[in-house]
Amino acid sequence: MAMLALMFTITLVQFAGEGRSGWQPKSDLVKRLSERRPSVIYDETQVPRYTLPDPLVCLDGTRVTAPEIWREKRRPEILELFRTYMYGRAPIGRPKEMKLETFDHAREALGGKAVRKQVRIHFTGKPDGPSMDLLIYLPQDAPRPVPLFLLLNFNGNHAVCNDPAIRIKPTFDRRTGEAVMPSEESRGQDASSFPLEKILARGYGLATAYYGDIAPDFPGSFGHGVFAAFDGLFGEERPADAWGAISAWAWGLSRAMDYIESDGELASRRVGVLGHSRLGKTALWAGAQDERFAIVISNDSGCGGAALSRRRFGETVALINRAFPHWFCENFKRYHHREDDLPIDQHMLIALIAPRPVYVASADEDLWADPRGEFLAAKAAEPVYKLLGTNGLPADEMPPLDTPVRGRIGYHIRSGGHALAEYDWERYMDFADLHYGHRR
Ligand code: GTR
């Protein structure tokens, strides 16, 4: 009898671990995508067997049995592994010469609903060096200091909101790297991904910057932006673990945090760092390294973000490095079709955020980003959260569509495709309310 009970438990665990339970992708979508790209895994039955590295076993084989061992030994070790093998090492923290220039402070923005600030962060302190414009909106009537969501945007600050006062700067073509001056008509073109009025109405502020201000996103990126300004610190040659673009963008988020800490109107201890897709990978890496971020949110971040590399479902290490050779460090290119040899997987990235709240979100039709791989990574980070005395992700299998699960780790899979949607924002604000103890 005891034997039978044991077998039953093991089978259940394996079933959940194999990932065939809970949410299922639409079969016609799986069929269509598989036909379009037969070499890509879109069918769960084709996922190879894999074993994840244990986040609670150190490289020397010792087990992490106490929070201090996690903090002092295993967490620094895992950070170092991600720096060495995947994202690459940023050469500097806050540069000594960095300067903050507030060039706009409007107390009556958006028809009196908001306070707007624009701050230029001169990374090298030199006016002709790389700089990032941080655009901030705060609710007029919320108590100070104001909790914030901080995120990078894809197309320039002016695209976030149709506010003629937002300073327009050149953006970079993602194929050629060519700088282009955006048109007046493109103001507010991405507003659907930034439901500003709703955010303000719930008592949160929004801070955003254009990721290209940090480094342009194209295969020739090295040599531009912060790479041009700081790569000299490495010496003559770029090492195989030098920062890739995701690391550079994450570094930029930390510089935004430097500003936030200097502004008394902003609640620097209640900043949720968030990002969509490649910028979701960026938000996770920023939040993993910089513990000033109170909450970390990944929206459809997929491969190189929240999704487990070992599953090879949808986008893989080889595919991402070929399409975006500048995102990760050179060392990561040694793991094409060899994911099992990596000393890390993405559950360990999420675990680095512990015990701070983290939220992973997927979308039903976004199979390229491997929703199940994202859920399983969030779940596999749980032992670290529990070791640190919190709960983890209170779900043993993927929840149905549009049904958020909220513990110290949160998760949802939304109906629809790859996007940062209003539904996602609402869940992130619910999650922040819960963890900050805000009453609604
Ligand atoms: C895709 C890429 C993904 C994801 C996405 C995005 O082309 O394969 O990893 O980052 O771009 O950022 O929109």
Side-chain angles (χ1 to χ4, degrees), residues 15-26 44 300 307-308 311 313 360-367 369-379 393-405 410-415:
F15 188 60
E18 290 213 32
R20 311 239 170 102
S21 57
W23 166 86
Q24 297 296 335
K26 292 192 193 88
E44 196 58 37
D300 306 354
L308 294 172
R311 281 170 47 83
F313 187 107
V360 173
S362 313
D364 185 37
E365 289 157 21
D366 188 17
L367 300 190
D370 187 13
R372 192 179 302 283
E374 298 188 310
F375 171 81
L376 291 172
K379 187 68 187 168
L393 181 61
D396 289 326
E397 57 177 38
M398 286 186 78
L401 284 181
D402 308 319
T403 311
V405 184
Y411 179 84
H412 75 239
I413 176 159
R414 167 181 54 69
S415 307

Side-chain angles (χ1 to χ4, degrees), residues 154 211 217 246 276-281 300-304 315 319-320 323-324 327-328 368-369 418:
F154 284 93
Y211 76 144
D217 184 10
I246 290 175
H276 169 60
S277 206
R278 66 197 72 185
L279 296 177
K281 311 179 209 295
D300 306 354
S301 64
C303 177
E315 189 170 34
L319 289 168
I320 205 168
F324 309 101
W327 281 3
F328 300 92
W368 183 243
H418 188 70

Side-chain angles (χ1 to χ4, degrees), residues 105-117 136-148 163 196-206 265-266:
H105 186 174
R107 296 192 180 280
E108 297 286 333
L110 305 182
K113 284 195 206 78
V115 168
R116 184 191 61 239
K117 299 185 188 190
I136 302 171
Y137 286 103
L138 305 176
Q140 273 270 1
D141 48 3
R144 273 31 183 175
V146 182
L148 292 179
D163 175 348
L196 196 48
E197 296 212 356
K198 295 234 156 86
I199 297 169
L200 298 173
R202 287 188 60 167
Y204 289 98
L206 176 81
E265 235 187 320
L266 312 179

Side-chain angles (χ1 to χ4, degrees), residues 165-318:
I166 298 173
R167 193 183 277 188
I168 295 192
K169 274 177 98 178
T171 56
F172 300 95
D173 185 281
R174 275 185 270 273
R175 215 164 30 85
T176 61
E178 192 198 337
V180 198
M181 203 58 179
S183 66
E184 280 294 321
E185 291 70 56
S186 62
R187 286 187 184 278
Q189 67 175 16
D190 295 340
S192 65
S193 293
F194 298 85
L196 196 48
E197 296 212 356
K198 295 234 156 86
I199 297 169
L200 298 173
R202 287 188 60 167
Y204 289 98
L206 176 81
T208 186
Y210 170 54
Y211 76 144
D213 276 4
I214 307 161
D217 184 10
F218 79 114
S221 179
F222 304 152
H224 300 267
V226 297
F227 295 124
F230 299 112
D231 273 8
L233 297 171
F234 291 123
E236 290 272 289
E237 243 179 77
R238 233 177 169 265
D241 66 349
W243 54 350
I246 290 175
S247 248
W249 299 326
W251 180 88
L253 284 168
S254 287
R255 305 293 69 82
M257 189 53 155
D258 296 337
Y259 168 76
I260 291 169
E261 283 191 312
S262 77
D263 183 335
E265 235 187 320
L266 312 179
S268 60
R269 300 205 176 161
R270 280 177 289 153
V271 176
V273 65
L274 146 73
H276 169 60
S277 206
R278 66 197 72 185
L279 296 177
K281 311 179 209 295
T282 303
L284 285 169
W285 180 227
Q289 297 179 91
D290 191 336
E291 294 182 281
R292 293 176 297 176
F293 293 115
I295 295 182
V296 184
I297 301 162
S298 150
N299 193 84
D300 306 354
S301 64
C303 177
L308 294 172
S309 303
R310 277 167 176 73
R311 281 170 47 83
R312 302 181 198 175
F313 187 107
E315 189 170 34
T316 61
V317 174

